[in-house]
Amino acid sequence: MNAYINQAVESFRTLITEQLERQERIAAGAEVKDYTKMEKIVIGVCGGDGIGPIITREGERVLRSLLKEEVEAGRIEIRTIEGLTLEKRMEVGKAIPDDTLAALKACDVILKGPTTTPHGGNMESANVTMRRELDLYANVRPVNVPDQGIDWIFYRENSEGEYVLGSRGVEIPGKLAMDFKVTTDAGTRRIARAAFEYAKNNGKTNVAIVTKANIMKKTDGNFSKICHEIAEEYPGITAEDWYIDIMTANLVNEAIRSRFQVFLLPNLYGDIITDEAAQIQGGVGTAGSANVGDRYAMFEAIHGSAPRLIEQGLGEYANPSSIFKAAAMLLRHIARTEAAEKLEKALLICTESERKVIATGSAEDAKCAEFADYVMETIAKL
Ligand code: IPM
Ligand code: MG
């Protein structure tokens, strides 16, 4: 037993040292890219697993058509990134193979299909690895249901919390298991600033800080405290504390939910509640997600790789709406606002007002590619 304890204490020392170093790197800051001034932007596209390559292929087709002129002029390059598949990851025993990671780092922004994460074991999720390696600290997820007055945006901390050491817990077999949750001051400050900047620039007046600070006193306690310190720099925007449990209920409380605007939360709560929010909008297949850092940004569907759809031979019927929303967010991020608006408008027409073609994952409805054709035809008519 003592050997286990000694080993755990030793590895805890390493963890604290590493996390302190990470906090130093965050505090040092990084230069933020200005896409309006760049001569060339490289968009990497990686398909992932399951339905990933199917929906991402259509996402790429839409991007190519919207950015045709700039691609032809060499101002934008759309590059395929290979090797982010489960088979390749298992083969090399890494969540992201080295050459794939190098290829990703040579891009500015990335459109990514979902990747499968093996349960248990030590293999980290490719998603989590990418977020860490590219330091994508803000996970931004908008949810809109216009006819119910819902216009939400979630700012989920994306680089720490329960995720950062999720594969490095300790275990005394047959007795206990422990995982760690980490909140750094600098890490909280940057996500809080991102949320309040968004609020300020988009005329929002309320930010809900969602934690469980009554129980997770150190990590969530600090998160909330630091968010309030940042809030003081934003007069005219109120910052309210909420606990995650009641906020989960509030999202399905039709009497009050439309008053919420911007949500600011630590990683795991953000993960859970954004699936709930996406469901209110029509399902996880309908929501896009931006993973934003200072140097890189990655845009993805919020759903998984849907292995069941593949097993049933229905992969080609997957709904690409989520990756299309992600593509629109990518366009907005690189300051291609007009192209982003076109795609967003077309998506609204195709999924809300007209619905002439729908893709639902069922063979009775349209194929992924047919729905993509419909979106592109709609864009052409705008
Ligand atoms: C998400 C996903 C990921 C997460 C998984 C795939 C690692 O659920 O983007 O919300 O837990 O963050
Ligand atoms: Mg999730």
Side-chain angles (χ1 to χ4, degrees):
M1 197 52 58
N2 265 346
Y4 273 121
I5 296 175
N6 287 340
Q7 203 191 353
V9 170
E10 238 354 270
S11 72
F12 193 48
R13 180 187 300 281
T14 313
L15 294 184
I16 295 184
T17 312
E18 283 176 13
Q19 292 305 304
L20 271 175
E21 285 164 3
R22 190 174 62 79
Q23 131 84 26
E24 294 300 326
R25 284 197 299 276
I26 301 173
E31 205 179 317
V32 183
K33 272 185 190 163
D34 180 350
Y35 290 95
T36 59
K37 299 215 172 78
M38 284 166 61
E39 270 171 31
K40 184 176 173 190
I41 299 172
V42 180
I43 304 176
V45 178
C46 48
D49 303 305
I51 61 166
I54 299 168
I55 58 171
T56 311
R57 186 182 62 211
E58 302 308 324
E60 176 174 350
R61 202 151 67 90
V62 170
L63 280 181
R64 282 195 184 280
S65 102
L66 280 164
L67 298 171
K68 193 164 181 286
E69 278 168 30
E70 288 200 277
V71 170
E72 278 168 6
R75 285 196 301 276
I76 291 183
E77 181 188 333
I78 301 182
R79 197 182 277 177
T80 305
I81 308 292
E82 309 281 357
L84 200 73
T85 60
L86 187 59
E87 296 75 40
K88 185 73 201 286
R89 285 183 278 140
M90 299 294 255
E91 183 195 315
V92 300
K94 286 198 162 172
I96 302 183
D98 292 341
D99 45 351
T100 304
L101 187 58
L104 288 168
K105 287 188 173 171
C107 301
D108 299 297
V109 289
I110 296 149
L111 185 70
K112 177 185 145 303
T115 45
T116 305
T117 310
H119 279 274
N122 283 327
M123 170 80 74
E124 194 178 44
S125 130
N127 230 327
V128 173
T129 309
M130 196 183 298
R131 290 169 184 171
R132 186 184 55 243
E133 291 291 334
L134 306 183
D135 200 20
L136 307 172
Y137 61 84
N139 193 317
V140 186
R141 296 181 164 175
V143 165
N144 290 287
V145 189
D147 59 2
Q148 292 182 34
I150 293 176
D151 182 10
W152 296 331
I153 190 150
F154 293 83
Y155 273 78
R156 159 186 174 192
E157 202 294 319
N158 208 27
S159 63
E160 42 190 48
E162 298 79 355
Y163 280 65
V164 62
L165 297 176
S167 305
R168 299 181 63 188
V170 295
E171 190 177 2
I172 301 185
K175 304 229 185 262
L176 65 81
M178 252 187 216
D179 282 319
F180 303 107
K181 168 166 173 166
V182 187
T183 300
T184 66
D185 290 16
T188 306
R189 250 179 238 124
R190 64 182 182 176
I191 185 68
R193 195 164 295 291
F196 281 97
E197 278 296 306
Y198 174 86
K200 186 178 102 186
N201 296 332
N202 291 276
K204 305 290 178 195
T205 52
N206 182 265
V207 175
I209 302 160
V210 189
T211 66
K212 190 75 185 172
N214 50 341
I215 304 298
M216 294 275 105
K217 305 221 184 240
K218 294 276 182 285
T219 49
D220 287 2
N222 267 4
F223 186 92
S224 167
K225 185 181 95 199
I226 291 167
C227 289
H228 281 285
E229 282 167 15
I230 299 287
E232 280 172 23
E233 296 173 31
Y234 295 83
I237 302 176
T238 50
E240 282 178 352
D241 270 314
W242 290 91
Y243 292 137
I244 181 67
D245 46 356
I246 190 62
M247 187 53 99
T248 311
N250 287 343
L251 292 198
V252 288
N253 181 345
E254 289 178 12
I256 64 165
R257 65 184 177 184
S258 60
R259 68 181 276 274
F260 296 112
Q261 299 175 347
V262 180
F263 298 80
L264 169 56
L265 350 76
N267 210 340
L268 186 59
Y269 309 136
D271 174 47
I272 297 167
I273 209 169
T274 52
D275 269 18
E276 186 198 13
Q279 190 60 41
I280 292 167
Q281 177 182 256
V284 289
T286 66
S289 167
N291 296 263
V292 182
D294 293 331
R295 291 179 60 198
Y296 300 102
M298 180 266 278
F299 300 82
E300 60 181 343
I302 90 161
H303 55 75
S305 54
R308 248 162 293 174
L309 223 53
I310 298 290
E311 272 162 33
Q312 292 162 7
L314 292 173
E316 293 295 334
Y317 292 88
N319 179 359
S321 298
S322 178
I323 201 97
F324 286 177
K325 289 221 173 129
M329 293 176 90
L330 182 153
L331 290 167
R332 212 172 262 290
H333 185 76
I334 60 171
R336 276 21 183 205
T337 316
E338 210 185 299
E341 277 170 1
K342 278 189 184 168
L343 180 51
E344 283 161 357
K345 262 192 210 148
L347 277 176
L348 262 181
I349 295 171
C350 298
T351 60
E352 303 278 338
S353 55
E354 272 190 10
R355 291 170 61 84
K356 274 196 211 147
V357 177
I358 54 167
T360 61
S362 152
E364 279 165 24
D365 293 316
K367 287 191 170 164
C368 180
E370 288 164 349
F371 181 77
D373 288 340
Y374 174 40
V375 171
M376 292 203 287
E377 282 157 24
T378 310
I379 291 174
K381 283 191 223 149
L382 287 175

